[in-house]
Each structure stands twice: as structure tokens, then as C-alpha cells.
Amino acid sequence: MSTTAAPAVTASPRRIAALALPALVVLAAEPLYVLVDTAVVGHLGRVPLAALAVGGTVMTLTAWVGTVVAYGTTGRSARRFGAGDRAAAVAEGVQASWLALATGVLVAVAIGIGGGALARTLVGGPGEVADAAAGWLRIAALGAPGLLLAAAGNGWLRGIQDTRRPLLFVLGPNLLSAVLCPLLVYPAGLGLVGSAVANAIAQTLSGVLFAAALVRERVSLRPRPRVIGQQLVLSRDLLVRGVAFQASFLSATAVAARFGAAAVGAHQIAVQLWFFTALVLDALAIAAQSLVGAALGAGDAAGARFLARRVALLGGLCGVAFAVLIAAGAGVVPSWFSSDPQVREQAMTAWPWFVALQPIGGVVFALDGVLIGAGDVRYLRNLTIVCAFGGFLPAIWLAYGFDLGLGGIWAGLTLFVVLRLAGLLLRMRSGAWAVVGAVR
């Protein structure tokens, strides 16, 4: 494969923003489309809406797997790109796309065969909702190969620092689907099925666009099992890390539910807002993945360390800005989500912790991106497991045992994030993450 001169890697705020802002739009496109889909289906009645909630949860899990593939691909591709070998960087995208396509086909086949059983399991038994959810799932799952191909495409294009094409390839199909969905559901008379068809069309079109971008690069499209195996190891570590997160937040919801309906309702408000701020901060982490990977690929360890400090500072500043906004909205924001005075009162219990978490979380998300870009995902995996099972989970169950309420749960979440920050700062200081070269 041909090589070119290693591209210059800059840590200017403008360059970081040029990568982060398009990534934010891409990250937000899917949740925003889900809101549109929910609003359209919601007018069909209670059963279709419940079915969409069940089916959507499964497809959200599939999208999460795609995010893992994208993150792993970005770091590997960015290293090759930083080393001046664009063809090799794109070749990482080829192998990631084969992995994504195979996984997507398996998902589509598995849901086609077992969608009914899966829906009944999630709903808790047979019935109208389970039947409707199974029908929606079987059609929407046909878009899984495209969904995962698009995730892999996002990964390698971010790696070569191309932010324009992912924006077009994700936004275009999602806008098309947002138009198709109400037309298929109502004038075409397909009802809930129309929603699934619109989903499948959008995901497939997006996948085709990313695949076509690979073909236009004129690199070998032959599968390379050894490289796919390396990517699987990387994805495995990120998946395990993600499972630790999922277990933590599910447990927090379970504990909140034991404190009553008002507590769990307030927890849902606060945690969803936390996820929203995390979405914005994740865009900064994606910029860090691309820039740090490229710097290390170019043999510039000092530049990578400078980038790490710069994005950590920007993450902290973004977190401070969120903290100010959230603190100012304390008396107003919870009322947007609930008119129940008990829920709003409980939300105020979690609110000071929620505000305090923002600056800490801003630094943590940025440094997560640094280590993913550096390919240091095994350390991230181990750190998350230790912090989740050694800090967060014991803390929230002790909060239940000592009847500390919602404040105890959010104190546990704060402990989780602070422990992760400490572990990340220690890793940064050690310099063990800054391994240079086209391949870690």
C-alpha cells in the first residue's frame, strides 16, 4: 500500500471543534429521529407505542454494538493515517465493514427467527403488544446490516479526519426516513409496519453510502481474518466496558424504584439529562480519538500528551458550562418532565449531585476518548469494571440498606465518576498509554 507524508496534527480549539461538532450532529441524528418516530406512532394508540418502545430497545442495543465498532475503528484508522498511510487507514475500515456486515446479517437472521420469542420475553408474555413488537422488529431488523456498516464507516472516516461525508451519509437517510415515516404510517395505511419500513430503508441507505465511499477509495476489499480478529479483541474490551456501565445504571434504577414511584421518576429525569450532556461531551471524545490516534501514528508522543491536556481542559470547561446551566434551571427543568410535586421534590435531591458531576464528567469523557484513540482500551475496561463493581454498585446498594434515598444513589454515581477520573489521571501521568507507531 502506498504511503504519504504524515499529516500535521494540531490541537487548536478550532481543529478540535471542527471534528467534534459534526460528530455531535451525527450522534444526535438517531435520537432525534427516534423522537420523531415516537411522536408519529404515538398517535396510533397505546399498543403500537408500547410495541415501538419494546422493538426500539432491541435496535438501540444493536446501535450500541455499532458504536463500539466505530470507536475501535477510529483509533486504529487514525494511527495509520497519522503514520502517513491513508490506504492502510482506509483498509482498517474495510475489515471493520466486513465485521459489521457479518454481525448485522446475524442480527437480522436471529431476529427474523426469534423475534416473536424475544418480544414475548421483553413484554412478559403473549399478547397484542408482543405480537406488534415482533412484527415491527422483524422488519426493522432488516436494516441492521446497514446500521452496523454505517457505524464502521463513521469509524474509519473519523480516523482519516473526514467529518463531512459522515454528516451527509447519516443526516440524509435520517431526514428521508423522518419524511417517509408519517407518509407510510398514515396516508399509505401501513400503521406500525410503516415505521419499521422507514427505519429499515434509512439504515440500509446509510450503510450503502458508507460502503460506496469505501469502494471509491480504490483499496483492496478482500477480508483479512487476522485484522478482523484484532478488531474483535478491541471491540470485546469496549463491549465488556459497556456492559459494566449498563449493569451500573440498571442497578441504580432498580434501587431508585425501591424508594418509590416519585424517586424513580425523578431519577429517570436526572439520568436522561445526564445522558444528554454525555452525548455532547462524547463528541469531544470522538475528536480526541481521531487526533490522538493520528499523533501517535505519526510518532509524536509529546503532541499526543499535549492533545490529551488540551481536550481534558476543553472537556472540563464544557462541563462547567453545563453545570451553570443546570444549576440555573433547577427550579424549572424538572417541571418540564413532570407536574407531580413529589417527583419535582425528589429531583431537587439529586440536582446538586447532578450539577457537581458535570465538570468532573467533562474531563472523564475527554480522557476516555484519549485512551480509546491511543488503543489503550484494556486499561479502560479494567478501570471501569473496578470502579463499577468496587465503588458504584456497593455504594448504591448501601444507600438502599441505610435508606439514604435518591441522594445516596447520586452520591454513588459521583463516587463512580470520581474514581474513574482518578484512574484516568494516574494513567495520563504514567505515560504508558502514549505508545507510538502505526500499530499499537
Short mmCIF file of all heavy atoms in Angstrom, two decimals, residues 18 47 105 168 189 225 227 297 308 317 382:
data_model
loop_
_atom_site.label_atom_id
_atom_site.label_comp_id
_atom_site.label_asym_id
_atom_site.label_seq_id
_atom_site.Cartn_x
_atom_site.Cartn_y
_atom_site.Cartn_z
N ALA A 18 -13.78 21.47 14.87
CA ALA A 18 -14.11 21.04 13.50
C ALA A 18 -14.39 19.55 13.43
O ALA A 18 -15.15 19.09 12.58
CB ALA A 18 -12.96 21.40 12.55
N VAL A 47 -51.10 0.51 22.18
CA VAL A 47 -50.43 -0.76 21.82
C VAL A 47 -49.29 -0.53 20.83
O VAL A 47 -48.17 -1.02 21.05
CB VAL A 47 -51.45 -1.78 21.28
CG1 VAL A 47 -50.73 -3.00 20.68
CG2 VAL A 47 -52.38 -2.23 22.39
N VAL A 105 -25.95 -9.07 9.57
CA VAL A 105 -26.71 -10.17 8.97
C VAL A 105 -27.13 -11.17 10.06
O VAL A 105 -28.27 -11.66 10.07
CB VAL A 105 -25.87 -10.88 7.88
CG1 VAL A 105 -26.54 -12.17 7.43
CG2 VAL A 105 -25.69 -9.93 6.69
N LEU A 168 -23.21 13.86 5.93
CA LEU A 168 -24.15 13.69 4.82
C LEU A 168 -24.76 12.30 4.81
O LEU A 168 -25.97 12.14 4.59
CB LEU A 168 -23.43 13.95 3.49
CG LEU A 168 -22.86 15.35 3.26
CD1 LEU A 168 -22.06 15.39 1.98
CD2 LEU A 168 -23.99 16.38 3.23
N GLY A 189 -51.36 3.89 4.95
CA GLY A 189 -52.16 2.97 5.76
C GLY A 189 -51.42 1.77 6.31
O GLY A 189 -52.04 0.78 6.70
N PRO A 225 -8.78 -11.99 7.80
CA PRO A 225 -9.19 -12.55 9.10
C PRO A 225 -8.31 -12.11 10.27
O PRO A 225 -8.81 -11.89 11.36
CB PRO A 225 -9.13 -14.05 8.88
CG PRO A 225 -9.34 -14.23 7.41
CD PRO A 225 -8.68 -13.06 6.76
N VAL A 227 -6.70 -9.26 10.75
CA VAL A 227 -7.03 -7.89 11.16
C VAL A 227 -8.42 -7.86 11.80
O VAL A 227 -8.62 -7.19 12.82
CB VAL A 227 -6.98 -6.94 9.94
CG1 VAL A 227 -7.43 -5.52 10.34
CG2 VAL A 227 -5.58 -6.90 9.35
N GLY A 297 0.34 7.73 15.75
CA GLY A 297 0.72 7.09 14.49
C GLY A 297 1.87 7.81 13.81
O GLY A 297 2.71 7.19 13.15
N ALA A 308 -3.96 15.51 24.85
CA ALA A 308 -4.71 14.98 25.99
C ALA A 308 -5.01 16.09 27.00
O ALA A 308 -6.13 16.20 27.50
CB ALA A 308 -3.92 13.85 26.66
N LEU A 317 -14.14 22.61 30.77
CA LEU A 317 -14.83 23.89 30.52
C LEU A 317 -16.26 23.66 30.05
O LEU A 317 -17.19 24.37 30.47
CB LEU A 317 -14.05 24.71 29.49
CG LEU A 317 -12.70 25.27 29.96
CD1 LEU A 317 -11.96 25.94 28.81
CD2 LEU A 317 -12.91 26.26 31.10
N ASN A 382 -10.61 -2.42 32.37
CA ASN A 382 -10.33 -2.82 33.74
C ASN A 382 -10.70 -1.73 34.74
O ASN A 382 -11.24 -2.00 35.82
CB ASN A 382 -8.86 -3.18 33.89
CG ASN A 382 -8.48 -4.42 33.10
OD1 ASN A 382 -9.35 -5.21 32.74
ND2 ASN A 382 -7.20 -4.59 32.82
#
